[in-house]
Amino acid sequence: MPALDNSPRLALIKTLSDGQFHSGEVLGQELGMSRAAISKHIKVLQQWGVDVFRVQGKGYCLPAPLDLLDEASLQSKLNVPTFSLVPVIDSTNQYLLDRVGQLTSGTSCLAEYQQAGRGRRGRVWFSPYGANLYLSMYWRLDAGMAAAMGLSLVVGVSMAETLNKLGAEGVKVKWPNDLYWQDKKLAGILVEMTGQAGDAAHLVIGMGLNVAMPETDSVDQQWANLKDTSSALPDKNTLAAALINGVIDALKEYEVSGMNGFVERWDKFDNFKGRAVKLILGEREVKGIARGINEQGALMLETEAGITPYLGGEISLRADV
Ligand code: BTN
């Protein structure tokens, strides 16, 4: 089945992205379609999560201007300018996984809307159009799959450092794969891989960063938004390029020196160090005090039995202390 041509909808959202009113008639003339067709496309934009509204006599409008990704702008800012900007996609991770054999390390894929965005543990990653950043990067790891655990922590540290440099205040890391702000999830990282044991690993590193997640019932947890971390953040192209450039530098360093240096860098942003947490390991739950990470990227958890490294599981703050 041929892919659906989204170009009329993309043209429409670009026009509306200025946050001004546009009448159905003028939009129709500009985009060469009837008012009825405009109205049909607007409905699709709404399904993509764009909050378009209509005022009688004035036309269609967005509640605020929309900061959209732009190929030329990204191209000028990326150190490894091999990327695909696919505004409407199933999943940026899947896009790269489908092309692993043709990619070089650092190649990225960015989208405005994911129809099947995925999170860890089979969760859905809610990806409304133009609201957040959805990006993935391919990396060939010669050290093989065993080194992938540390790598995903390195990506988190690098993202926190980049956001901090760009002015975001109070961004933290949560072991093993999240960014947090004020104890709420700001970003998630999903590393997927292909390759044979004992061989190089082909990794796809997916990053979902909430920038301005719309208020909605369909989100099952309270998110943090990057827009709330500073009043002077750069545009999304600058942000995306800085994140990609930062992750590439961090991964190159990781390939040479492993976790050396990253444990200390992680420490500076650790949201949970010294706090009472519970670690969920399938059916099992371990309560303790988080004591940072070790050189393998394991969580160091202090219980009455002492400090034990854990390589798997998910942590959350304890309400019982
Ligand atoms: C998590 O569960 O916290 C990880 C979320 C990862 C989401 C990103 S968005 C870009 C990339 N494409 C996907 O389908 N998922 C990742």
Side-chain angles (χ1 to χ4, degrees):
M1 206 169 64
L4 184 66
D5 176 19
N6 280 314
S7 47
R9 293 179 264 278
L10 299 180
L12 187 54
I13 188 73
K14 191 140 201 257
T15 306
L16 290 169
S17 69
D18 63 5
Q20 305 293 313
F21 277 102
H22 296 268
S23 76
E25 196 180 340
V26 173
L27 284 171
Q29 280 161 9
E30 279 174 12
L31 303 174
M33 58 182 86
S34 67
R35 281 169 65 174
I38 292 285
S39 152
K40 217 176 71 199
H41 289 311
I42 293 279
K43 288 205 177 76
V44 177
L45 294 184
Q46 287 165 336
Q47 282 160 17
W48 290 355
V50 184
D51 189 11
V52 194
F53 65 95
R54 185 168 162 254
V55 173
Q56 195 69 38
K58 286 176 120 181
Y60 298 101
C61 189
L62 300 182
L66 201 55
D67 179 17
L68 295 174
L69 293 171
D70 174 76
E71 208 157 287
S73 176
L74 287 167
Q75 189 82 46
S76 69
K77 295 175 174 75
L78 283 169
N79 297 342
V80 177
T82 333
F83 69 96
S84 303
L85 171 57
V86 188
V88 176
I89 204 166
D90 52 354
S91 151
T92 54
N93 264 33
Q94 192 57 49
Y95 181 92
L96 293 182
L97 282 169
D98 288 344
R99 291 162 178 79
V100 156
Q102 312 149 37
L103 306 174
T104 51
S105 287
T107 298
S108 305
C109 175
L110 303 95
E112 295 285 16
Y113 172 61
Q114 297 187 113
Q115 285 160 319
R118 52 182 186 246
R120 294 194 305 276
R121 297 172 192 274
R123 292 178 193 132
V124 167
W125 190 256
F126 185 54
S127 312
Y129 193 100
N132 306 311
L133 275 179
Y134 318 112
L135 59 97
S136 301
M137 183 192 291
Y138 166 75
W139 199 265
R140 180 194 151 106
L141 193 61
D142 288 324
M145 291 186 181
M149 170 75 196
L151 175 138
S152 71
L153 273 76
V154 162
V155 172
V157 173
S158 160
M159 289 176 74
E161 287 175 346
T162 299
L163 295 176
N164 185 49
K165 264 190 231 144
L166 293 176
E169 282 172 36
V171 174
K172 303 278 183 188
V173 288
K174 179 193 176 202
W175 183 89
N177 282 136
D178 291 329
L179 295 191
Y180 258 48
W181 186 74
Q182 297 193 347
D183 283 339
K184 286 185 218 141
K185 182 154 167 164
L186 177 69
I189 299 162
L190 171 68
V191 180
E192 297 183 283
M193 58 184 124
T194 63
Q196 311 260 308
D199 224 342
H202 300 277
L203 305 182
V204 172
I205 304 153
M207 294 161 259
L209 170 67
N210 300 326
V211 179
M213 184 71 97
E215 299 281 329
T216 164
D217 304 334
S218 50
V219 182
D220 60 0
Q221 82 181 94
Q222 253 209 313
W223 296 108
N225 278 310
L226 192 70
K227 72 169 172 43
D228 298 326
T229 67
S230 161
S231 54
L233 286 167
D235 66 278
K236 269 211 307 232
N237 293 290
T238 305
L239 206 60
L243 286 168
I244 293 173
N245 291 339
V247 169
I248 291 177
D249 288 348
L251 293 182
K252 283 185 182 158
E253 194 178 328
Y254 178 69
E255 283 194 314
V256 176
S257 325
M259 287 293 284
N260 263 341
F262 281 106
V263 174
E264 214 173 292
R265 284 162 72 177
W266 174 277
D267 240 36
K268 285 199 193 125
F269 292 95
D270 192 338
N271 191 49
F272 289 82
K273 196 167 184 181
R275 297 174 81 182
V277 297
K278 63 176 177 211
L279 173 71
I280 301 169
L281 292 155
E283 300 286 283
R284 204 155 73 89
E285 199 178 282
V286 188
K287 289 181 176 175
I289 307 289
R291 295 292 179 208
I293 60 165
N294 71 5
E295 295 273 329
Q296 278 70 52
L299 170 77
M300 303 302 284
L301 191 63
E302 184 176 354
T303 62
E304 279 166 10
I307 299 182
T308 313
Y310 287 91
L311 275 165
E314 282 209 22
I315 52 169
S316 56
L317 281 179
R318 265 162 60 193
D320 61 340
V321 280

